[in-house]
Amino acid sequence: MLRLENIVKTYVTGELRQTALKGVSIAFREHEFVSILGQSGSGKTTLLNIIGGLDRYDSGDLIIDGVSTKAYKDADWDYYRNHSIGFVFQSYNLIPHQTVLANVEMSLTLSGVSKKERRQRAIEVLEQVGLGDQLHKKPNQMSGGQMQRVAIARALINHPTILLADEPTGALDSETSLQIMDLLQEIAKDTLVVMVTHNQELAERYSTRIVRLRDGEIIGDTNPCTQAEGERPPEKHQKISMSFATALSLSFNNLATKKGRTLLTAFAGSIGIIGIALILGLSTGMNDYIDDIQRETLTSYPITISSETLDLSSAMGGQGEMMGQSQGEEDTAPAEDISADFRELEMEERFQSSVVENDLTGFKAYLDDASSDIQQYLGENGAVYNYNVAFSAYSYDADDRLVATDHSLDEDNPMAAGQSEMTAAMESAVTGSNTAAAEHFSQLMAGPDGTSVSHVITDSYDLLYGQWPEDYDEVVLVLGRDGTLPAETLCQLGLITEDQYRTAQEEIQDDGAAQAIHMDYAAAADHPYYLVAACDHYLENDDGTFTYLEDGAINQDQLLENALEVTVTAVVRPKADADNANLTTALAYTPALTDYLIQHTDQSPVVQAQAADPDTNVLTGIAFTVPDDQAKAQAAADYLSGLGISEKASFYQMLMYYAGSEGGSSASVAALALDESAQAAALDQYLAGRPDQDLLLQVYDQYVAGSSYEDNMAAFGKVSYDAPSSISLYADSFEDKDAIAACIETFNAGQPEEEQITYTDYVAMLTSSITTIIDGISYVLIAFVSISLVVSCIMIGIITHISVLERTKEIGILRALGASKRNISQVFNAETFIIGCCAGLLGIAVSLVALVPITSLIQSLSGIADLTAKLPLAGALILIAISIAITILGGLIPARKAAKQDPVIALRTE
C-alpha cells in the first residue's frame, strides 16, 4: 500500500546543509499501528511529513498503491492529503476562531461534500471520540485532551487510509494520554496509524510495530513489511475545491475575533469611498439642477433656423481676426504719417456678407419624416414651425380715437423706429419670432399634446385674471414681473390716451414724477383689438386691379370693415422664480390665429387674383416681365393713365418742375397754377400725344419695374405651410442638442451647397465657457479620487499582509487538510472581500448621513432651494463594487504570498 524507497531529504539554510533522511526505505501494511521512535533530530517528523505529503523528498520515491509520486503535481498531493491522510498534531492545530463542528467539517468542505452530509458525518465522528455534546464550543473553551480528541475526529472525518500522529500525547497528562492511545489503537484496526513519539513505554504497549530512527536512518524495525503485502488498486484523483462561501465563513469568523481592528480598517478603507460618494452626491444634485436649468434654458433658447439669418460664427470670427491683426500691427504702424483705417468698412462688409438665406422647405420635409435620425433627439416640445403672418392691429382709446399699435410716440427721435426694427430682427434670428406681426403681438408656444398653450408657458406665469386663450380670436395680456406695462405700450394699445401720456411726460419733465395711472384687470381685459390682415389693405378697383389702403383716418372705415376682433381672456404675470417667462410682448395669441390668418389670406380676393394670373401685376395691371423698351414705355404710360386724379396731379407737377429746370419756366409756372383736375387732364393729354420715351422709361424703371409675383404675394401676406419663416428645434438636454446639431450636419452633407442649412447655436455660445470650467473641475476631482483610491489599495495590502502573518499557522493547518494554494488565496481574497463590503457600506452610510447637513449648508450659501445633494442607488452600488475591487486588488499580493507558504514551516509558527 505505502512504500518509501531510498528517500533522501536535505535542508539547506544559507551555507549550512543538514540531511534529515539518508536513503530511508520502508513499507507499511494497510492496517497496523506503527510507532517511530528516535531522539530529537533523528528525522522522525520529517519522515512523517513526507509520508503525509506536506514535505517533498529530494530523491528516492514514495509509492502509493503501486503508483510512484515522482510525477505528482500540487493538485495530486492536495488530493492525497485530503482523501488518504489524517493528521494529529502534538499542539492540536485547531483553527481557534472556528467551532468544534466547523473544525471537524473542514476536510469534508475541501472535498466538496454537501453541507447536510458533512454535518451529519462530523457529528457521528465527534460522538465516536466522546464529544457529541461539545459541538459548538470554541477550542479555547476545551481541555487539552478534548482538543486532541477534536483533532483525531478531524483526522478521521474523511475516512483516511493513513492516520499520522506527531507526538499526540506530548502535551497531555498520563491519564489523558492513555485515553488518546486507546482511541488510536482502536482506529488502527481499520487504518494504518503511524505515530511519532518519544514515549517508548506507550509505543511498546499499544503499537503492533516499532521503527527506530537515528541520524536519518532506520536502525530497527520490529515487524517489517514485504513489498508484496498490502497492495491495492490506485484511486483516480479529483480536484480539491473550496467554495467561496467556505472561504467567506473562515474569514468572517477570523475577522469577528478582531472586531475593533476590522471596524477601523473598514473605516480607513471607506475614507476614499466617502470622498467619492460625497462628490458624486453633490455632482448628482448639481447635475439634476443643471438638467432642470438646461431644459428651461433650451426652452428659452432652442436651435432656431430662420429663412434669413446672420451667420454670427463667421461674422464674429472675422471680427476676431481683424482685432488680432490690429493688436499685432500696433507696434509696427508708422508714426510719421496718417493712414486710412478700413477695418470698420471691412467689418460692415463681413456682416453684410454673413447674411444667408435658408431653404426651409426641404429641411421641414426632413423633420416631418418619422424615420429621420433627428426625431429621437427632439425634446418634449419637438420642432415648432413659425410663420410670418402679416397683420396690423388697432384699438380705440378712451377718447374713441382709433390707435395703431405701431404708431410712434417718440417724435423727437427719428432713429427710434429704425432701432426698434433692428432689435426685432435680432430677436427673430434668436427666437424665430414673427417680425411681420403687429407691434406688441407675438405667438404663444403650443403644447405637445395639442393644447393651445404649452405647460412651459403656463408653468412660468401666474394667472391673475380670466383663463388662458384657446381660440384664434383670443389673446392674453402679459404684464411685467412687477405687474406693470410701459406707459408707451399702454398708449399704443389704447389703454391710456395720448393726452394722458403727454401729460405724464410733462409732469416728469417739470417735477420728476408723474401721477400714477391704475386700471383693474377686468377693464384691461374688456378692451378689444382689431386685426387687419395684410391682404385686407388691398381694395379691388373696377378694372380688376387693386389699390393699397394706407393707414390713417381716411381709410379706417374700409380697413376695419374686414378686421378680426380679438378679446383678452387672461391677464398674466411672470412667476417670481420663473426661468422660462420669455414672452416679450404685451399681447400673445395662440397658433390658431396663425392658421386663421394663413387661410384667410389664401381666400382673399387679391391673393386669388394674383394666383390666377401670375404673369400680371394685379396692382398695376402690367406684366411683371416686359420684353423691350417700347413695351416698357407703353407699360409706363398705362401705369400713369391708371393713377387717380391726385396722383396724376402730383406726377404732372413733378413733370413740369423738371421741364422748368430745363428752360421752360414760364410754362411750368402756368401749369402749376391749375387745379388738380386740370393737371390730371393735362397729364392725360400729354400721354395721348407723343410723350418722351426716355421719360417713360425712367418712369417704368422707377415706379413700375422691380416687382415680381413672389414680391406681391409676400406683400399680400401669402404664407405656405411648407415654407416656414423659421424652425425652432427643442431639446431636453445638451447631449440631445449636440446630437441635433450633428443630425443637421449630416443633412447638410447630403444637400447641394445652396440648399444647406446655416444657423447659429446661441446656447453653445452661452455655455461653452461653463463647459470648460466644469471639465477642469472634473479633472481635479478625478485626480483627487485617484490618489485616495491608491492610498486605500496600499493600506489594504498592508492590513492583509498583517493578517497573513497572524494566520500563518491556519495556513499550515488548511494545507495539511488538503487545501490547495488556490484555496489559501481564496481565504484571504474572501477576507479582503468582506473588508471591502464593510468599507463600501460604511462609506455609503456615512455619506448619506453627511449629505443632509451638506445640502442644508449649500442651499443656505448659494440661495438655491432646488439644489439637493443626493446619492443615486446605482452610484452607491458602483461605489461598493469599487470598494470591493480596490480591497481585493490591494490584497492580491499578500494572498499570493500566503499561498506560497511552506506548510511545514507554517505549522511550526506560533
Side-chain angles (χ1 to χ4, degrees):
M1 172 188 148
L2 177 67
R3 301 199 312 274
L4 284 75
E5 295 182 352
N6 200 27
I7 295 294
V8 176
K9 178 64 179 178
T10 302
Y11 294 101
V12 179
T13 306
E15 296 181 356
L16 177 63
R17 294 176 59 87
Q18 182 177 358
T19 302
L21 297 177
K22 304 174 182 178
V24 172
S25 297
I26 188 172
F28 298 94
R29 298 177 181 85
E30 224 177 285
H31 309 299
E32 64 177 336
F33 192 156
V34 181
S35 293
I36 300 177
L37 299 178
Q39 297 179 352
S40 296
S42 62
K44 303 186 301 299
T45 301
T46 301
L47 178 61
L48 205 67
N49 289 337
I50 288 177
I51 293 173
L54 281 178
D55 212 348
R56 303 289 188 272
Y57 51 85
D58 296 331
S59 63
D61 195 5
L62 173 64
I63 300 172
I64 303 170
D65 295 329
V67 178
S68 171
T69 59
K70 288 182 178 180
Y72 265 28
K73 298 179 180 179
D74 286 343
D76 296 315
W77 286 115
D78 296 336
Y79 180 87
Y80 169 66
R81 287 196 305 275
N82 183 258
H83 285 75
S84 300
I85 302 296
F87 279 100
V88 179
F89 300 99
Q90 178 181 352
S91 55
Y92 324 126
N93 285 346
L94 300 177
I95 300 176
H97 54 77
Q98 296 280 10
T99 64
V100 167
L101 187 62
N103 268 282
V104 174
E105 285 182 341
M106 186 57 61
S107 293
L108 295 180
T109 301
L110 295 172
S111 301
V113 178
S114 67
K115 181 177 180 181
K116 181 179 179 181
E117 182 182 350
R118 66 175 181 255
R119 172 153 297 199
Q120 180 180 351
R121 287 170 60 177
I123 293 174
E124 289 176 357
V125 75
L126 283 168
E127 290 176 348
Q128 182 181 343
V129 298
L131 296 176
D133 58 346
Q134 309 288 327
L135 303 180
H136 302 293
K137 284 186 176 182
K138 294 286 182 69
N140 59 4
Q141 298 173 320
M142 307 182 77
S143 66
Q146 288 175 320
M147 286 191 287
Q148 194 62 286
R149 288 174 182 269
V150 173
I152 293 173
R154 181 181 63 188
L156 296 175
I157 187 68
N158 219 8
H159 303 305
T161 56
I162 304 171
L163 181 67
L164 303 178
D166 187 6
E167 299 282 358
T169 61
L172 303 177
D173 57 62
S174 299
E175 182 180 355
T176 305
S177 296
L178 294 176
Q179 294 173 359
I180 296 300
M181 291 302 295
D182 288 338
L183 185 58
L184 291 176
Q185 188 178 43
E186 184 67 23
I187 293 170
K189 294 178 180 179
D190 301 314
T191 306
L192 170 61
V193 176
V194 180
M195 179 182 71
V196 169
T197 182
H198 289 91
N199 193 324
Q200 183 173 345
E201 179 183 353
L202 288 178
E204 292 176 349
R205 179 176 177 180
Y206 288 96
S207 300
T208 61
R209 177 182 177 187
I210 297 175
V211 177
R212 299 181 185 275
L213 283 181
R214 180 187 298 168
D215 298 330
E217 296 178 336
I218 295 177
I219 61 172
D221 187 346
T222 61
N223 188 15
C225 175
T226 64
Q227 294 186 6
E229 297 181 36
E231 296 290 350
R232 68 177 180 178
E235 296 181 0
K236 183 179 179 181
H237 292 185
Q238 298 176 353
K239 186 177 181 181
I240 297 300
S241 64
M242 175 189 289
S243 68
F244 189 64
T246 302
L248 283 176
S249 176
L250 283 170
S251 297
F252 181 80
N253 290 329
N254 174 64
L255 292 174
T257 63
K258 312 176 185 70
K259 295 183 181 68
R261 192 180 78 178
T262 301
L263 182 62
L264 288 175
T265 302
F267 179 74
S270 70
I271 292 175
I273 300 299
I274 292 172
I276 301 172
L278 292 178
I279 293 171
L280 181 60
L282 291 171
S283 63
T284 300
M286 179 60 71
N287 285 336
D288 289 346
Y289 176 72
I290 290 175
D291 286 342
D292 294 337
I293 296 299
Q294 282 181 358
R295 188 171 284 103
E296 294 168 354
T297 301
L298 291 171
T299 301
S300 302
Y301 298 98
I303 295 178
T304 300
I305 305 170
S306 300
S307 57
E308 185 175 287
T309 188
L310 179 66
D311 187 0
L312 278 184
S313 59
S314 174
M316 297 302 292
Q319 183 178 4
E321 291 175 6
M322 287 185 282
M323 291 178 65
Q325 291 173 2
S326 171
Q327 294 173 354
E329 294 172 359
E330 285 181 356
D331 297 335
T332 60
E336 63 273 5
D337 58 3
I338 299 174
S339 300
D341 189 347
F342 299 109
R343 283 175 297 180
E344 289 187 8
L345 293 176
E346 293 171 355
M347 188 181 301
E348 181 180 350
E349 173 59 27
R350 188 176 291 272
F351 269 99
Q352 290 178 355
S353 62
S354 296
V355 177
V356 295
E357 293 185 358
N358 288 317
D359 178 14
L360 298 186
T361 302
F363 188 64
K364 181 177 182 296
Y366 167 71
L367 291 174
D368 290 340
D369 183 1
S371 63
S372 61
D373 293 339
I374 201 171
Q375 290 291 335
Q376 59 185 313
Y377 304 113
L378 294 175
E380 180 184 8
N381 295 302
V384 176
Y385 303 125
N386 305 296
Y387 299 92
N388 274 348
V389 289
F391 64 91
S392 52
Y394 306 88
S395 68
Y396 289 98
D397 63 14
D399 295 335
D400 202 29
R401 174 174 171 265
L402 187 67
V403 179
T405 59
D406 61 352
H407 79 283
S408 176
L409 296 172
D410 197 352
E411 299 174 349
D412 298 329
N413 185 9
M415 296 294 294
Q419 292 171 352
S420 177
E421 291 177 2
M422 183 178 298
T423 301
M426 289 298 296
E427 181 180 343
S428 175
V430 176
T431 65
S433 60
N434 181 9
T435 57
E439 185 79 9
H440 303 303
F441 280 80
S442 63
Q443 179 177 300
L444 294 164
M445 181 192 299
D449 53 355
T451 56
S452 300
V453 185
S454 170
H455 72 85
V456 174
I457 302 296
T458 56
D459 291 347
S460 300
Y461 288 85
D462 289 322
L463 185 63
L464 305 177
Y465 175 85
Q467 61 184 8
W468 288 93
E470 295 181 357
D471 295 331
Y472 70 93
D473 57 352
E474 296 176 343
V475 296
V476 59
L477 180 64
V478 184
L479 307 181
R481 290 186 182 272
D482 55 356
T484 64
L485 282 174
E488 182 179 3
T489 300
L490 291 172
C491 183
Q492 291 172 324
L493 295 179
L495 294 174
I496 64 174
T497 64
E498 188 169 346
D499 288 341
Q500 288 178 294
Y501 178 79
R502 299 300 178 194
T503 300
Q505 265 188 328
E506 293 173 0
E507 290 175 347
I508 292 173
Q509 291 172 356
D510 295 341
D511 303 328
Q515 186 176 357
I517 299 176
H518 300 283
M519 69 181 66
D520 59 30
Y521 299 141
D526 197 32
H527 188 83
Y529 298 88
Y530 303 92
L531 307 187
V532 179
C535 61
D536 291 333
H537 278 268
Y538 294 89
L539 179 65
E540 188 173 6
N541 302 316
D542 294 337
D543 60 357
T545 60
F546 289 80
T547 300
Y548 180 73
L549 298 179
E550 298 280 353
D551 289 330
I554 192 171
N555 293 323
Q556 72 179 40
D557 292 337
Q558 290 178 298
L559 288 174
L560 294 181
E561 183 178 344
N562 295 320
L564 172 67
E565 181 178 345
V566 297
T567 57
V568 176
T569 63
V571 179
V572 300
R573 175 179 61 195
K575 292 182 178 179
D577 59 347
D579 295 313
N580 280 325
N582 52 9
L583 295 177
T584 58
T585 58
L587 294 169
Y589 55 87
T590 68
L593 178 61
T594 299
D595 294 333
Y596 168 82
L597 290 172
I598 291 175
Q599 296 167 12
H600 174 76
T601 301
D602 288 344
Q603 298 169 4
S604 65
V606 66
V607 169
Q608 291 190 347
Q610 186 65 79
D613 189 2
D615 297 328
T616 302
N617 189 338
V618 297
L619 299 180
T620 62
I622 299 170
F624 287 114
T625 304
V626 179
D628 51 35
D629 289 347
Q630 183 177 355
K632 290 179 181 180
Q634 183 60 47
D638 294 341
Y639 169 75
L640 293 174
S641 297
L643 295 175
I645 294 176
S646 297
E647 293 171 324
K648 286 182 178 180
S650 297
F651 195 86
Y652 182 74
Q653 291 174 13
M654 184 180 65
L655 183 63
M656 290 299 100
Y657 172 79
Y658 283 111
S661 64
E662 293 179 359
S665 58
S666 59
S668 63
V669 171
L672 293 175
L674 300 174
D675 59 17
E676 282 190 347
S677 298
Q679 290 177 350
L683 180 62
D684 289 336
Q685 183 179 0
Y686 172 75
L687 295 174
R690 300 183 62 182
D692 184 352
Q693 187 173 7
D694 291 338
L695 177 62
L696 292 177
L697 289 175
Q698 291 180 15
V699 171
Y700 179 86
D701 291 338
Q702 187 169 357
Y703 295 99
V704 180
S707 295
S708 66
Y709 173 82
E710 290 77 14
D711 293 337
N712 275 13
M713 284 299 199
F716 302 155
K718 169 67 177 175
V719 170
S720 171
Y721 279 111
D722 292 331
S725 59
S726 66
I727 300 175
S728 297
L729 303 177
Y730 290 87
D732 289 339
S733 68
F734 280 112
E735 290 78 9
D736 287 344
K737 180 193 70 66
D738 293 338
I740 290 173
C743 288
I744 295 176
E745 292 299 323
T746 303
F747 171 82
N748 284 339
Q751 300 296 319
E753 185 175 354
E754 62 275 8
E755 296 181 14
Q756 293 182 358
I757 299 300
T758 301
Y759 71 99
T760 299
D761 189 347
Y762 294 95
V763 175
M765 294 175 63
L766 292 171
T767 60
S768 59
S769 59
I770 297 176
T771 303
T772 302
I773 294 172
I774 292 176
D775 287 344
I777 294 174
S778 299
Y779 295 145
V780 172
L781 293 179
I782 289 172
F784 170 77
V785 169
S786 299
I787 294 173
S788 66
L789 293 178
V790 170
V791 171
S792 296
C793 186
I794 294 173
M795 182 200 66
I796 294 299
I798 295 172
I799 296 298
T800 307
H801 177 68
I802 294 173
S803 180
V804 169
L805 295 178
E806 292 176 342
R807 300 176 67 184
T808 299
K809 189 159 192 172
E810 182 180 339
I811 294 170
I813 295 171
L814 292 174
R815 293 303 307 278
L817 295 178
S820 65
K821 293 180 179 179
R822 181 173 176 272
N823 296 150
I824 301 301
S825 293
Q826 277 183 296
V827 170
F828 290 97
N829 287 336
E831 182 171 312
T832 55
F833 176 84
I834 294 172
I835 294 175
C837 284
C838 293
L841 292 171
L842 182 62
I844 297 301
V846 172
S847 300
L848 290 175
V849 173
L851 285 175
V852 176
I854 289 175
T855 295
S856 300
L857 180 62
I858 291 176
Q859 291 177 346
S860 175
L861 294 176
S862 66
I864 304 175
D866 296 333
L867 181 55
T868 302
K870 50 188 174 183
L871 183 62
L873 176 61
L877 294 177
I878 290 173
L879 285 176
I880 293 174
I882 290 175
S883 175
I884 294 172
I886 289 297
T887 53
I888 291 178
L889 180 64
L892 282 179
I893 295 177
R896 292 191 63 176
K897 287 186 176 180
K900 294 179 180 180
Q901 290 264 17
D902 186 332
V904 175
I905 297 176
L907 284 170
R908 296 173 184 164
T909 306
E910 295 296 337

